[in-house]
Amino acid sequence: VFVYCVAPDRLLGWTRALRADEAAFLLPEVAALPELGRLTGRGSTAALEAVLAMRAELIVDVGSTAATYVSLADQVQRQTGVPYALLDGAFDRTESTIRRLGQVLGVTARAERLARGTRAILDAASELRAGLRDGERPRVLFARGPTGLATAADGGLNAEVLAQVGATNVARVGAPNLALISLEQVTRWQPDWILASDAAFFAQVHRHPVWSKLPAVRARRVLLIPRVPFGWFDAPPALNRLIGIEWLSAVLHPQRTRYRLDERLSDTFEWLYHRRPSIGQMRALLAATR
C-alpha cells in the first residue's frame, strides 16, 4: 500500500489479488497486477522463486520493526539477493518512512506531498484532541474478528487510530498488541462505542444474548470498519489509516469537525490512491458502517 501511494508504477504485485470492490477505487492497471503472496507474518504464501522470477529490485515491508521481522528481512535478503527495506509503520514515523521510500524509489516530489499531507491530517487530529474537555473522550472497544473477542492494546499498531482521534481504548490487556478477551471483560468495560472489524459479527451483534444488552449496542453506537480499498483502522499499518482518522474524528466528534465527511474522504482517496471516487461511492461506503 505504501508503494502504491508513493509510486504505483513501481509495484510488481499484491500480497493477494484485489477484489472488484477494492479495485474500483484504484488505478485499473495497477489493481490488476498479480497476486504474489505474503513473505512475512502468519501464513506466508510467497515463494522466493516467484520474487526472483519477477526480477524484483527491492522488497518493501512496512509495519513492525521488531527483532523477529529484522531477522526475517535479513534471511530473505540473503536467500534472494534482493535488497529488503524494513520500515516502521507507526504514525509518528510515517513522514520519515514516506520520505525514505521516496528517495529509494526516486520520487521525492511525490513523497514530499504525501508527507506534508500526512502531517496536516495528524496536526488536525492533535488540535482536536487538545480541545477535548473532561468527559468528551469516548470510551471505545475495538472488537476484532468474527466473535468480536479479539482486540488491540494501547501502544500497538492496531490501536493507533483510537489514540489519534482522542478516544480511550477500554481494553486493558497485557499483550503487546493483539489479545483475546472475554464477554465478561467487555461487560465490565461498558464501552461507549464498539468498532467491529468483521461483517458477520456486526450483522448479528444486535441479536446476540450478551452483546445486545450493552448500552453501546442498544444505542446503535456500533460501527463496521470499512476495508475498501484497504482497512481504515488497523490493517495494513500504512497510509490507509489516515482515512480512519478523518472518518472517526467526524463520527465521534461531530460538533468539532468542520468538514462534510463524504467530500473530505473523496479528496483524501484521490490524494492517496490516484483516483477520485464519486460522492455516491463514498456515501455507500459510509452507509455500510452503520
Side-chain angles (χ1 to χ4, degrees), residues 45-67:
T45 56
L48 297 182
E49 294 81 2
V51 175
L52 294 172
M54 296 293 290
R55 298 186 182 276
E57 297 174 317
L58 177 68
I59 298 168
V60 175
D61 185 354
V62 182
S64 173
T65 56

Side-chain angles (χ1 to χ4, degrees), residues 236-288:
L239 299 177
N240 44 291
R241 296 185 301 158
L242 296 173
I243 293 168
I245 291 177
E246 294 189 321
W247 168 57
L248 281 180
S249 293
V251 171
L252 300 180
H253 310 287
Q255 304 306 316
R256 291 185 174 272
T257 47
R258 297 182 295 275
Y259 50 80
R260 218 180 86 173
L261 187 55
D262 53 2
E263 292 181 349
R264 171 60 69 87
L265 294 187
S266 289
D267 291 341
T268 305
F269 265 58
E270 182 178 27
W271 167 69
L272 282 179
Y273 301 139
H274 313 279
R275 185 175 181 181
R276 185 176 184 83
S278 69
I279 292 297
Q281 285 178 299
M282 193 52 61
R283 288 177 179 171
L285 288 183
L286 293 172

